[in-house]
Amino acid sequence: MSPVFRRDAPTDDELAAFERDGYIAYADILDDAFRDALVAEILGRDDVRAFLDTPESAGTVHFVRPWDDRGPASDRLIDAPLVQALLAATVGPDIHFCHSSFNVARRGAGRVPIHQDHHHWFHENPVNVAEREKKYIQILYYPNGFVAGDRSLSVLPGSHRVSPTPDVTPERMLAGELDDQAGRPLRLEHLTLPPGSMVYLNARMFHGVE
């Protein structure tokens, strides 16, 4: 069986970048044979074939959440050695798996505005208050990669250091009003990644899709 990733552990520089910026972008990190198996598995799904066979006028995005009926290749993404090492280094030994999802999009699919996904800040239940300062990790896989403007990921490095209170908005961040709280200038970056890439993301960091 081929490995999932080309290596099994993050470097010290990558971990430092995660704490500083709120994300690590791993370009072309998936093993080639595994990437081919993953793409074939996803394209072999009945719902994906049906989506790709419909006219574009019927929709440009197919989104599944929760993605519980993962195949054998997809299932390996959750606990591959690199993923385990990243979680151990950035979160610690006690982790809780929330959910997985997958997204198939045609060219021309609409953008997703800059936002954050650390949902504990959006609710006032006792469990949410207790979990607010803990890390909520998203791991984004891009078997086909992306170029700018083609469902590409945009990130706002350092924005995870800003307390996400109701008055904090992407507009205020981009205007420089919260640079002092972040301890750095907050500038939007538009990523471009080749096929087989992964982004390890602190979900408190603001990000979007172009």
Side-chain angles (χ1 to χ4, degrees):
M1 181 180 293
S2 64
V4 174
F5 298 109
R6 299 187 188 279
R7 55 190 173 91
D8 292 340
T11 66
D12 290 342
D13 287 346
E14 289 165 349
L15 294 175
F18 176 78
E19 296 301 327
R20 180 187 67 241
D21 299 331
Y23 77 100
I24 309 169
Y26 285 101
D28 191 22
I29 190 68
L30 293 179
D31 175 83
D32 289 340
F34 174 79
R35 175 192 170 277
D36 291 344
L38 177 65
V39 170
E41 182 176 281
I42 291 174
L43 292 178
R45 290 175 55 102
D46 291 342
D47 57 329
V48 172
R49 288 200 304 268
F51 167 70
L52 295 176
D53 286 343
T54 58
E56 289 191 21
S57 58
T60 57
V61 175
H62 177 60
F63 182 69
V64 175
R65 182 177 63 192
W67 181 22
D68 292 335
D69 58 340
R70 296 181 300 273
S74 307
D75 217 32
R76 295 179 64 199
L77 294 169
I78 294 176
D79 59 359
L82 178 59
V83 170
Q84 292 189 44
L86 280 165
L87 290 171
T90 60
V91 179
D94 298 322
I95 61 172
H96 167 73
F97 176 78
C98 183
H99 68 272
S100 61
S101 60
F102 85 88
N103 188 322
V104 179
R106 293 187 170 106
R107 292 189 185 277
R111 65 186 299 272
V112 178
I114 300 297
H115 65 285
Q116 66 171 182
D117 294 316
H118 197 329
H119 61 272
H120 289 300
W121 286 92
F122 306 149
H123 306 283
E124 297 298 328
N125 300 312
V127 65
N128 299 123
V129 174
E131 295 288 325
R132 279 181 177 173
E133 293 297 344
K134 297 180 181 180
K135 287 191 175 73
Y136 178 39
I137 303 297
Q138 289 180 318
I139 306 176
L140 311 177
Y141 297 101
Y142 297 95
N144 293 335
F146 55 78
V147 297
D150 182 22
R151 297 294 282 182
S152 57
L153 181 67
S154 296
V155 295
L156 193 56
S159 58
H160 63 300
R161 296 181 178 276
V162 177
S163 296
T165 51
D167 62 322
V168 171
T169 64
E171 292 76 18
R172 290 190 64 206
M173 288 188 175
L174 294 174
E177 296 179 22
L178 300 168
D179 287 358
D180 287 345
Q181 189 176 155
R184 61 185 289 178
L186 294 173
R187 303 289 183 267
L188 193 63
E189 296 182 3
H190 304 286
L191 303 184
T192 296
L193 289 172
S197 296
M198 175 184 87
V199 177
Y200 187 82
L201 183 79
N202 182 335
R204 184 162 155 172
M205 185 192 69
F206 281 74
H207 57 284
V209 176
E210 302 296 332

